[in-house]
Every structure is written in structure tokens, then in C-alpha cells.
Amino acid sequence: MNRTPRLYALVEELRAAAPRPLTVAALATRFEVSTRTVQRDLQALMDAGVPVRATSGRGGGWSIDPAMTLPPIRFTTEEASALVAALAAADASAPYAGAARTASQKIAASMTGPASLAAQELAARIVALPARTAESVRTAVEQALTGGTVLRLAYVDAAGRESERAVEPAGLLTADGKWYLIAWCRTRQAGRGFRLDRIAAATPTSEQAPPHDLAALLRGSAASGAVRPSALAALG
């Protein structure tokens, strides 16, 4: 069994046995691999955020917290393919890409059957060219949006002009494959959209920003007709 399917199967094996722990030796026998391989697989699951844990002593071993994991998700083949395509679009430059990656690993670990196989096969056929947004910029934008704090930007506009801005983040806009931070710009005293790949540097601050209505900031701009993606409707 290849590693990726084995990781999925390992999660299901631990879930089926929970809360009873399983030893590394038992797991190695079950999957016909070495104990060292099982230990590497368990470490990979931990790194991905899957809630597996080890207990020592008599009767100890590895277990998973069923209350903190998803049950097997019965995706159709089409749904699994759509999920893979959507996650591929969330490349390393997209906001919250790191969290999307760990979330996808957790979802993949819970998938079973033909849909899981279809997702794996499609994922092997998708590649992406890395975008230019620096990880430090993406992280600063994420922190400012999540914490509601003022963000200091070094920005290069479409004409190549550089400027320093203090902005109050309101939300994110995606259009034509690009991501924009929508914010109240203190320098311009107006709502502005800052393309993430044109932000040369971003520095988070501890200053709380006043709340802004995203739709209000977009009103009168080229993005005034922006609508909430239908895929997010179920989260609201």
C-alpha cells in the first residue's frame, strides 16, 4: 500500500479502535510495514494536525480522539474531484492557504471508498505555478483580518509607484485569479483594494481597527457588484 492511502487507512484503524490504543507493532503487522514506517506515518499525521496521541506504560499505544475528528465523509466522485480542484486553487499565495492545507489533509484522512481514490488520482494530475506573494505578507494579512488590527503596508501600484500605507482591513476580494485586501486607507481617507502580490511588505500592529462594512467600501468601485461565493453560504 502506498503511503497516502496508508495514512488514510491508519486514521480509520485508530478511529475504529478508539478509545482503545493500538501499539506500533500491531499497526505495523496490520499494514505489513516496519515499525519505523508506522512511527513516521504517525508523526506525519501529527504534523498535519490529526489528533493522534501516544500513551506510555502498560496497555499504552497510539489512539485518536473521535470527538475531535470527522467521521468518514461519503463524498461522491464528482464532489471529491470538485474538492481537489478547489484546494488546488488555494495555492501558497492565497490567504489562509496553510490552514486550507491542513484542513484538506484532515478531510482526506476521513474520506473512504471510490471517492477517496478519485481524489487521489486527480490530485496527481494537477500542478500549479507558484505566485509571487511572500509568505510574510500573507501571514500579516491573515493576522490583521482575524484580529481586527491595523496593518502597515509597503505597496507598489499598477504604475510602479511605491507608497507606505496604514490600513484598516475589512475583508478579501478574489477576482480573475487575484486576491485583494479591501481596507480603509488612512492615507487616502477612502476604501481601497490592495492586490496581495503588489504588497512589498506588511507589518501587523497591536492597534485595534474600527469595524468597516465590506460592501460599503466596495460601493462605487469596479468591484461594487461583488457577491459572496455560493460555496460559503452554508457557513454563514
Side-chain angles (χ1 to χ4, degrees):
M1 181 184 290
N2 292 331
R3 191 186 193 199
T4 300
R6 189 175 65 246
L7 289 176
Y8 302 153
L10 183 55
V11 169
E12 290 309 307
E13 192 76 12
L14 291 171
R15 193 197 310 281
R20 177 174 58 88
L22 298 176
T23 65
V24 169
L27 291 169
T29 300
R30 166 68 179 82
F31 294 106
E32 299 180 345
V33 294
S34 68
T35 56
R36 185 175 180 181
T37 296
V38 170
Q39 289 170 334
R40 284 200 300 265
D41 287 350
L42 290 166
Q43 185 60 52
L45 290 173
M46 292 179 65
D47 292 343
V50 179
V52 294
R53 59 176 182 267
T55 54
S56 58
R58 185 179 179 85
W62 285 84
S63 61
I64 190 168
D65 185 354
M68 296 295 292
T69 60
L70 291 169
I73 299 176
R74 305 301 180 186
F75 288 118
T76 65
T77 300
E78 291 77 12
E79 289 169 342
S81 298
L83 178 62
V84 169
L87 290 170
D91 62 22
S93 67
Y96 304 99
R101 184 169 57 253
T102 56
S104 70
Q105 290 167 336
K106 293 177 183 179
I107 292 172
S110 71
M111 291 170 58
T112 59
S116 176
L117 180 60
Q120 294 169 43
E121 291 177 346
L122 180 59
R125 297 198 295 272
I126 295 178
V127 296
L129 285 173
R132 295 178 298 170
T133 304
E135 183 177 356
S136 59
V137 168
R138 178 174 54 78
T139 300
V141 169
E142 292 172 5
Q143 290 175 350
L145 278 168
T146 302
T149 55
V150 173
L151 189 62
R152 297 191 180 280
L153 304 179
Y155 191 70
V156 181
D157 66 16
R161 295 183 293 264
E162 298 183 13
S163 61
E164 300 287 331
R165 313 284 187 97
V167 304
E168 300 167 0
L172 294 166
L173 168 71
T174 179
D176 299 325
K178 303 295 184 183
W179 282 94
Y180 299 80
L181 170 66
I182 306 302
W184 177 263
C185 177
R186 290 181 173 178
T187 303
R188 300 288 186 262
Q189 286 294 294
R192 288 288 187 271
F194 300 93
R195 217 171 88 177
L196 294 195
D197 60 354
R198 289 181 181 158
I199 299 176
T203 305
T205 72
S206 58
E207 181 185 352
Q208 286 297 126
H212 292 281
D213 181 72
L214 180 61
L217 292 187
L218 291 174
R219 196 170 296 129
S221 73
S224 60
V227 296
R228 188 180 184 193
S230 58
L232 300 181
L235 300 178

